[in-house]
Amino acid sequence: MIVSAPRVLLLCMAVGVIATGAAVFFMSARPGGEASVTVADLTRCDIEGAISDFDYPCLHDMIGKMLAEKPAHEIMREVTQAFGIACHPIGHVTGQEVYRKLGSAEAAFAACVPTTCVSACIHGVVGEALFAAPSSSGSPEEWQHPSIDIVRAEGARLCEDLNACHTIGHLFMLFSGSHKEALDDCEKAAPEEHLWSCYQGVFMEAFSGIFAESTEFGVEPVKEDYGQTLDNLLAPCDSLAAREQPACFNYLYMLHNRTFAALEPMSMEERFARHSSACATLSQGGARKSCFAGAGWSSATMSMHGEISDGLERCISLSAAAD
């Protein structure tokens, strides 16, 4: 089935608003006139000595209050400037608190970036998402720097939880370095109803390298050649099995951004237009819908640098392209 223009428009707008909302969710006013917590207040949590001696209950309390007023990436930027290397343990706590508030690994990853200490926040999300899974046998600290052996050993049990399975997909991709191998790992680990979540983790990592920002996982960033060019913007998703395509197309905009940056300079608006035009050539229902949902995520990312209304205008512009 081909998605109609109004449905594509609504899909893009809904995803864009939700994604952008996740980023600004934390900026509500403190209740009851309570004084704001600043990065400077974190010094109350004994963060001067050894990392193992930090007052983590205090950090969780402080970071939780700060997240009520500003997004995670702003907190991490301020923490990096103020505390240097101490940004990493504080970032772990920030990632944990973000996940607890949003309840979604995907939204929590998006909330952590962009920031110079992104790996720390991401590690916290990983640890919390996997620890929160009912079948987890480790602690958040053990899961913040996992290995492929533990991921494969625990993958099937952890994939019983939807959010944990998405995170497992990221780790399969990161450690294998091959999207085909990572997809095979998902097939072995995930139950049918959660397989798409594992697939999404694979492609989010493959196309954005969000975990690979950190070298602490002990692996090099994934450098697969997907054969994508300006004349072939649907690669590699259009060559995958039908059940794998929707997850791939959902994050294709991330690979487009890499392709565009490598080939020629262009504005964010032109990137959005090229991505949307590629989506419009698809006729398969699930793949087409996922591609336009990715357009919404792309628009939301752009809106972090401007106004939410700008992202909605981009989605509205799709109505003509989607006819």
Side-chain angles (χ1 to χ4, degrees), residues 194-209:
H194 292 167
L195 187 58
W196 64 273
S197 185
C198 190
Y199 284 167
Q200 284 190 322
V202 169
F203 290 114
M204 189 177 182
E205 183 62 32
F207 297 160
S208 74

Side-chain angles (χ1 to χ4, degrees), residues 2 5 60 65 77 84 128-129 134 149 188 192 208 213 220-221 229 261 270 279 297 322:
I2 297 179
H60 277 283
K65 292 176 179 176
R77 185 178 294 113
E128 191 64 25
D149 292 332
K188 297 172 185 175
E192 185 68 26
S208 74
E213 292 289 334
E220 292 294 321
T229 66
E270 186 177 354
C279 294
W297 279 104

Side-chain angles (χ1 to χ4, degrees), residues 258-282:
R258 286 169 50 183
T259 298
F260 299 153
L263 294 177
E264 60 183 67
M266 64 179 70
S267 67
M268 290 191 294
E269 297 294 343
E270 186 177 354
R271 292 183 184 193
F272 181 79
R274 285 179 180 258
H275 172 72
S276 304
S277 295
C279 294
T281 66
L282 293 168

Side-chain angles (χ1 to χ4, degrees), residues 46 78 115 117:
D46 297 327
E78 293 175 12
T115 173
C117 204

Side-chain angles (χ1 to χ4, degrees), residues 32-155:
E34 185 177 344
S36 298
V37 175
T38 68
V39 166
D41 293 323
L42 297 179
T43 55
R44 303 177 196 168
C45 299
D46 297 327
I47 58 175
E48 297 295 327
I51 289 176
S52 59
D53 294 331
F54 282 15
D55 185 349
Y56 285 101
C58 173
L59 281 175
H60 277 283
D61 179 62
M62 292 284 193
I63 295 296
K65 292 176 179 176
M66 291 175 70
L67 284 170
E69 298 186 354
K70 61 179 64 177
H73 68 268
E74 288 190 13
I75 294 174
M76 288 308 307
R77 185 178 294 113
E78 293 175 12
V79 166
T80 303
Q81 293 172 348
F83 301 111
I85 194 171
C87 79
H88 200 87
I90 296 173
H92 280 186
V93 173
T94 304
Q96 289 175 273
E97 289 296 325
V98 168
Y99 179 82
R100 290 173 185 175
K101 288 181 179 295
L102 294 181
S104 162
E106 184 177 30
F109 293 149
C112 282
V113 295
T115 173
T116 54
C117 204
V118 60
S119 62
C121 188
I122 295 298
H123 289 184
V125 174
V126 173
E128 191 64 25
L130 298 183
F131 175 68
S135 299
S136 176
S137 61
S139 68
E141 289 72 26
E142 291 171 322
W143 276 113
Q144 278 159 2
H145 302 93
S147 68
I148 187 56
D149 292 332
I150 189 173
V151 172
R152 283 181 171 150
E154 297 283 328

Side-chain angles (χ1 to χ4, degrees), residues 172-179 181 222-224:
F172 281 153
M173 182 64 210
L174 180 63
F175 288 118
S176 71
S178 162
H179 71 282
E181 186 175 336
V222 176
K223 297 179 180 178
E224 279 195 296

